[in-house]
Amino acid sequence: MAGRTDENIPTYEVANVNTKKIHVGSFGHLWRQNLSSCELSLAEVSGVDLEDEELATELDCTADIATEIKSLCSVDALKSNEDGEEADPEIIPEDSCLVTLSIRNKIIERRKEMAVDRAFRQEVFLHEMESCGLGARPEDLSDMVDEGELVLTLEVFHPVVYQKSNGNKPNVAIQVLGTQKLTELRDAIKCVSDLQIGGEFSSNPDLAPENICKDLFKSAFFYFEGVFYNDMRYPECRDLSSTIIGWSESHDRGYGKFQSAKMEDFTFNDLNIKIGFPYLYCHQGDCEHIVTIVDIRLIHHEDCLDRRLYPLYVRKHWFCTRKCNVCNIYVAKWVTNQDSLAPDDPCFFCDVCFKMLHYDTEGNKLGDFLAYVYVDHGTFN
Amino acid sequence: MNFPGIKEDCETFLGLFQATDSVRYEEFLTIWKQMKFNTIFHGGMRNLESNRFSRDLFSVVSVFFLPPYTFQIRVGAMYLLYGLYNTQLCQPKQKIRIALKDWADIEQFHQELVTAQHLDAVYIYRQLRRMRAFYFTGMPITLNFKSQKSIIPEDGNEAFLDVKDKISDLITTETLEEIMNIQEHYQKTKCHFSADKSQPDRSLSLIREDFTDNLQSLVEEFQLWKQEKKAPRTKTDDEQEGTSQESEASERARHLAQIKSKTYNAVTQAVKSRRHRQVQMVSAPTEVETYLPLSKYQKEKLKKAERKAELDAIKKAVTPLPKKKPVNMAAIHEEDSSSSSEGEDCIRTVFTPAVAAIWWGITFLDQGCNLRGCRGCDRTRAQEV
């Protein structure tokens, strides 16, 4: 057992907010040291109950006592009430003395008054996201996650808040494995600014180029604890952090010395981080996402065990899509400015309505306007 | 936390468990069945809600599983975790989060259980680990980004806290022996230096010679006092303690109640003009005894009520509350309107604005008001013309 002083045991720096700095790999190592192979095992639980003799030797008592304990502590005894029958889980017993249940009773009564009593779309969506991949096992054993591997849960926030929110900023939660590289997370983070297409296409909308910003500008960086991890996988990648490091060093700004490293050389196990501390992911030059590592834990046999499914989305924010201003059915694909035909500036159109309104049958432009490709935030819903 | 009431329920449960003064699983099971704690998951929660509820529940209970709570509370919390983990309705089961910083405490707790031969507790602990009911995590909660406002400071239940004994931490038997040895050695050295080898020089006597003996007797006295205080509570002790606490807490309340009952008991005679509204004494209704044969349903209901009363009684034993006595209340005796000879008088007795309006209306209609602007009067006047 490592001493209390081990700096890789996470403890609070600010209570309930973030921990002190730890090295992710050593943290995982500490857990693995303390646990037996049985608990790290990813095999499915089979036969939790021991035989009487086994139990007797384990507890160092006679077989009679072992049998007695086993029957006393059986799970079935917990579930049934005095009459020995299991109650219906849908019904709250009338004579209950639990505070929680009396509160729930009130909620149920309120629910009954509502017109519809069913799970709402948001709720279903959230639950599906949460349970997606749970218990998944790969067919090919080489894709199996190793025993005792770490699972990190990260929350990635969207850069701008488009919708009024009650303190909740739209974010996604992603699970990654400790042995995965930072670049794998970078590729998994979806952001509309990656899909933008630059330029004005009012004269020939069909010729709008296919290549999106993601293919044109491949630079990005993560910032964790004083180190910029730059994505340098491609020759056209630039070191985005050099400007910031230069700025910080040009005057003594009190930020200490920043370092830069290559994103593709680091796995999550190599990082030094504080759990709960806000860090940064920056791409497309200025699209900045706050990234927080909210949780680190050992993998459990009921988790998703297919390595290929990670990074795994466990929660997504559901954005309202912007609809076409004409048909109000389809999601907007075009946005126009200074449009002589439109009531609004800017005005949004779907592909069909846009072409029907702004071009004649031969494809000639009608009226004055500037047209841009619009990428909706709900694209990733 | 999105689910109010969890903490209260768990604290009630652990309070009851604490009152048993035992760490046996049987006691836990009795309370569990009495409170029907497995029904805490009931009530038609949908998947997402029920997952969140289980997670919240575990995070509340697992706090009691760790120090600084007393050994007994920790055992109770462990049983509770075992019970809740196995009765939860989520599929797959939600797990209990254990942080690395708490692991050493848990291992030590396990060792304590083994050395104290609490076989049922050891079995439960190992069973939990065999079921792989734990997530081995970095921190007991996920550290989501929250505004400072929404972070609620944790307030543990003081009744369950393990009182740290600083004195026994500071002076153990070893340190006491050490001090005595040093003192002895010191004395010898002093003798060695002074002219008279059998007695230290007077100029060297800087501390009291009986210092160690004093210290020892003090520590012994303290230990004795502590043992007396900690002595296992028997039933009679419990009752006495309960009443003494009660008397302290509710002295003022009782005093007030006395004054109140005095005022209500005495009835002032009404003045002559209001003699028809004489105040009479009505005592609070006492239990009406019925000897009717009970139907099966009624019998069941009675049984349930009895069980509840029993539970309440246990609850009260944990948190003694001042008992409410039925107070004799003075009440205005309602008069029968038929007994009154004059209608007017009767109406005035219950003189509410609405009644007054109706009464005035009747008198106007009877007599005719002859007012200008009154529609009825205008009409009659027009007819006359």
Side-chain angles (χ1 to χ4, degrees):
Chain A
M1 178 79 225
R4 285 246 118 206
T5 47
D6 197 313
E7 57 182 10
N8 286 317
I9 297 177
T11 45
Y12 281 124
E13 188 178 59
V14 182
N16 293 322
V17 178
N18 68 281
T19 65
K20 289 178 184 152
K21 192 159 90 174
I22 56 157
H23 183 253
V24 178
S26 332
F27 163 77
H29 185 65
L30 278 176
W31 258 132
R32 284 191 291 273
Q33 264 182 349
N34 286 321
L35 296 174
S36 64
S37 59
C38 142
E39 279 159 299
L40 295 172
S41 156
L42 295 176
E44 286 182 46
V45 174
S46 54
V48 173
D49 289 330
L50 293 176
E51 289 302 312
D52 288 351
E53 289 85 41
E54 270 183 277
L55 188 65
T57 45
E58 194 188 284
L59 295 179
D60 197 17
C61 63
T62 61
D64 294 345
I65 297 172
T67 325
E68 204 187 314
I69 288 176
K70 215 169 98 174
S71 65
L72 178 72
C73 302
S74 76
V75 174
D76 296 332
L78 291 163
K79 285 181 183 163
S80 57
N81 46 23
E82 289 114 284
D83 315 331
E85 58 202 41
E86 286 190 27
D88 182 11
E90 294 294 314
I91 297 162
I92 295 175
E94 281 170 28
D95 57 340
S96 176
C97 56
L98 299 173
V99 184
T100 322
L101 287 182
S102 65
I103 293 168
R104 192 172 302 148
N105 241 338
K106 279 178 203 155
I107 294 171
I108 288 172
E109 267 162 36
R110 217 177 308 144
R111 240 187 229 170
K112 273 180 193 158
E113 286 166 17
M114 290 196 309
V116 257
D117 182 21
R118 59 174 164 78
F120 291 105
R121 194 172 58 176
Q122 276 282 354
E123 199 182 319
V124 174
F125 172 69
L126 276 173
H127 181 248
E128 267 176 21
M129 286 302 297
E130 202 178 89
S131 52
C132 88
L134 276 184
R137 282 164 186 273
E139 284 164 17
D140 187 0
L141 281 178
S142 61
D143 291 326
M144 184 88 166
V145 173
D146 294 335
E147 277 182 14
E149 197 152 335
L150 285 173
V151 182
L152 292 90
T153 311
L154 294 107
E155 278 186 4
V156 182
F157 287 76
H158 287 273
V160 189
V161 181
Y162 300 98
Q163 289 155 331
K164 264 193 185 170
S165 58
N166 45 1
N168 293 322
K169 304 281 176 286
N171 63 59
V172 295
I174 307 174
Q175 283 186 347
V176 291
L177 296 173
T179 49
Q180 284 187 309
K181 286 187 175 161
L182 291 177
T183 43
E184 289 178 64
L185 174 68
R186 184 248 187 283
D187 292 338
I189 295 176
K190 294 168 187 165
C191 174
V192 282
S193 63
D194 273 338
L195 303 182
Q196 301 293 341
I197 298 167
E200 197 269 319
F201 302 104
S202 63
S203 43
N204 42 359
D206 296 329
L207 289 180
E210 292 287 298
N211 43 357
I212 49 177
C213 285
K214 198 179 185 176
D215 304 326
L216 292 174
F217 314 106
K218 291 177 177 168
S219 316
F221 70 79
F222 282 106
Y223 170 78
F224 291 115
E225 282 303 310
V227 187
F228 289 94
Y229 297 93
N230 286 294
D231 186 357
M232 302 297 265
R233 282 175 292 177
Y234 309 99
E236 61 265 40
C237 287
R238 285 164 50 194
D239 184 354
L240 288 180
S241 68
S242 59
T243 335
I244 304 166
I245 295 173
W247 171 82
S248 144
E249 279 172 0
S250 62
H251 301 282
D252 187 20
R253 295 189 196 264
Y255 289 110
K257 192 135 174 68
F258 287 126
Q259 292 166 334
S260 75
K262 283 184 179 172
M263 196 192 283
E264 57 269 31
D265 296 345
F266 283 84
T267 63
F268 285 94
N269 278 337
D270 303 328
L271 295 182
N272 285 303
I273 45 130
K274 294 173 179 176
I275 305 172
F277 199 79
Y279 296 111
L280 191 71
Y281 165 61
C282 177
H283 65 132
Q284 297 301 326
D286 65 346
C287 185
E288 295 174 340
H289 300 252
I290 299 282
V291 176
T292 316
I293 294 161
V294 294
D295 187 23
I296 303 181
R297 61 176 172 84
L298 289 187
I299 195 145
H300 192 270
H301 76 101
E302 279 175 12
D303 284 325
C304 168
L305 297 180
D306 194 342
R307 186 180 287 280
R308 291 167 303 170
L309 292 178
Y310 286 96
L312 181 73
Y313 273 83
V314 284
R315 193 180 64 244
K316 263 187 198 175
H317 184 83
W318 184 284
F319 283 105
C320 285
T321 48
R322 198 185 281 280
K323 302 290 191 307
C324 165
N325 283 13
V326 178
C327 62
N328 212 7
I329 296 172
Y330 296 108
V331 178
K333 281 234 169 118
W334 291 91
V335 58
T336 57
N337 285 124
Q338 300 159 30
D339 194 344
S340 55
L341 297 169
D344 278 340
D345 188 12
C347 197
F348 299 90
F349 300 95
C350 68
D351 217 26
V352 178
C353 295
F354 174 71
K355 282 175 185 160
M356 233 195 284
L357 182 67
H358 291 95
Y359 301 94
D360 62 14
T361 43
E362 272 115 53
N364 298 316
K365 185 177 167 183
L366 306 171
D368 285 336
F369 61 93
L370 298 169
Y372 303 93
V373 176
Y374 176 74
V375 185
D376 193 82
H377 302 293
T379 313
F380 302 118
N381 284 351
Chain B
M1 196 178 350
N2 300 318
F3 302 96
I6 292 181
K7 202 164 172 152
E8 286 84 343
D9 283 338
C10 293
E11 279 176 4
T12 326
F13 190 99
L14 291 174
L16 289 175
F17 188 70
Q18 196 180 31
T20 61
D21 238 346
S22 134
V23 291
R24 292 281 79 82
Y25 188 79
E26 288 102 315
E27 302 285 351
F28 162 81
L29 208 61
T30 343
I31 302 170
W32 177 277
K33 289 202 164 153
Q34 231 165 29
M35 282 182 82
K36 295 190 180 156
F37 215 76
N38 61 324
T39 58
I40 201 163
F41 293 108
H42 290 193
M45 281 190 293
R46 289 192 277 263
N47 292 332
L48 186 75
E49 197 184 356
S50 109
N51 281 355
R52 285 186 181 164
F53 179 75
S54 301
R55 281 199 294 258
D56 270 9
L57 196 56
F58 290 146
S59 76
V60 168
V61 180
S62 54
V63 169
F64 293 113
F65 180 37
L66 301 169
Y69 292 101
T70 57
F71 180 75
Q72 200 209 346
I73 289 298
R74 290 178 67 184
V75 176
M78 185 179 72
Y79 289 156
L80 203 52
L81 283 177
Y82 175 78
L84 292 172
Y85 179 77
N86 284 308
T87 50
Q88 64 175 314
L89 303 167
C90 312
Q91 272 309 324
K93 282 184 173 139
Q94 294 298 312
K95 304 292 179 301
I96 304 156
R97 295 174 64 89
I98 297 289
L100 184 56
K101 67 183 165 82
D102 302 326
W103 187 249
D105 292 326
I106 293 171
E107 285 286 82
Q108 202 192 340
F109 173 70
H110 179 217
Q111 277 310 315
E112 272 173 49
L113 288 179
V114 173
T115 42
Q117 286 283 304
H118 294 307
L119 291 183
D120 43 0
V122 174
Y123 174 75
I124 294 288
Y125 174 75
R126 296 199 177 157
Q127 206 64 2
L128 270 175
R129 283 184 71 169
R130 258 197 293 274
M131 285 169 182
R132 283 180 259 171
F134 297 117
Y135 270 153
F136 301 107
T137 64
M139 275 286 138
I141 48 167
T142 56
L143 298 173
N144 303 63
F145 181 77
K146 281 172 282 202
S147 62
Q148 207 66 42
K149 239 189 276 172
S150 62
I151 298 169
I152 314 150
E154 293 248 328
D155 50 333
N157 194 323
E158 278 179 26
F160 302 156
L161 282 183
D162 198 1
V163 184
K164 272 266 173 220
D165 192 354
K166 281 184 185 146
I167 293 174
S168 53
D169 275 357
L170 204 67
I171 305 170
T172 57
T173 12
E174 288 102 61
T175 49
L176 202 63
E177 260 174 43
E178 188 79 29
I179 290 168
M180 281 160 95
N181 280 340
I182 291 170
Q183 168 73 5
E184 211 175 298
H185 193 71
Y186 181 56
Q187 209 69 11
K188 269 183 195 163
T189 325
K190 276 201 284 189
C191 291
H192 189 70
F193 278 123
S194 42
D196 183 7
K197 295 285 177 194
S198 63
Q199 193 107 33
D201 204 64
R202 287 205 93 184
S203 61
L204 285 173
S205 108
L206 296 171
I207 59 162
R208 286 191 182 188
E209 278 170 31
D210 57 348
F211 155 71
T212 47
D213 299 330
N214 271 343
L215 185 66
Q216 195 182 3
S217 63
L218 272 175
V219 170
E220 269 168 11
E221 206 176 305
F222 172 74
Q223 296 287 7
L224 217 73
W225 170 80
K226 213 174 71 179
Q227 261 171 22
E228 247 169 53
K229 208 179 147 204
K230 249 192 179 171
R233 283 184 292 175
T234 55
K235 260 218 165 126
T236 46
D237 274 354
D238 237 16
E239 276 163 18
Q240 277 168 4
E241 204 170 288
T243 47
S244 71
Q245 263 180 10
E246 193 185 354
S247 69
E248 258 171 60
S250 62
E251 200 170 10
R252 191 168 169 272
R254 197 175 296 155
H255 196 67
L256 282 175
Q258 242 171 26
I259 296 168
K260 235 181 217 178
S261 67
K262 234 183 218 173
T263 44
Y264 285 136
N265 277 328
V267 176
T268 44
Q269 205 73 23
V271 285
K272 213 176 177 187
S273 60
R274 290 174 66 81
R275 62 181 181 270
H276 56 275
R277 298 198 64 214
Q278 208 57 268
V279 179
Q280 286 187 4
M281 281 295 301
V282 181
S283 61
T286 47
E287 236 176 311
V288 184
E289 284 168 90
T290 46
Y291 294 101
L292 291 168
L294 294 167
S295 69
K296 203 181 170 190
Y297 171 72
Q298 277 171 321
K299 266 181 196 165
E300 264 178 32
K301 211 172 172 187
L302 232 131
K303 211 173 154 191
K304 269 181 189 171
E306 261 173 37
R307 220 179 292 148
K308 204 178 175 191
E310 222 179 84
L311 204 67
D312 284 347
I314 302 169
K315 260 193 213 169
K316 261 177 204 156
V318 183
T319 48
L321 286 168
K323 275 177 200 159
K324 269 189 187 169
K325 283 177 191 165
V327 183
N328 284 337
M329 297 280 278
I332 294 168
H333 188 70
E334 284 275 331
E335 257 180 283
D336 257 355
S337 57
S338 59
S339 68
S340 169
S341 51
E342 284 165 322
E344 253 184 49
D345 229 348
C346 159
I347 292 163
R348 272 196 198 135
T349 344
V350 265
F351 195 80
T352 58
V355 174
I358 294 165
W359 183 72
W360 281 112
I362 293 165
T363 37
F364 274 125
L365 276 178
D366 282 354
Q367 295 166 357
C369 59
N370 267 333
L371 283 173
R372 202 165 278 275
C374 170
R375 224 179 257 171
C377 301
D378 282 350
R379 211 177 295 138
T380 44
R381 233 177 271 130
Q383 276 171 4
E384 277 166 22
V385 172

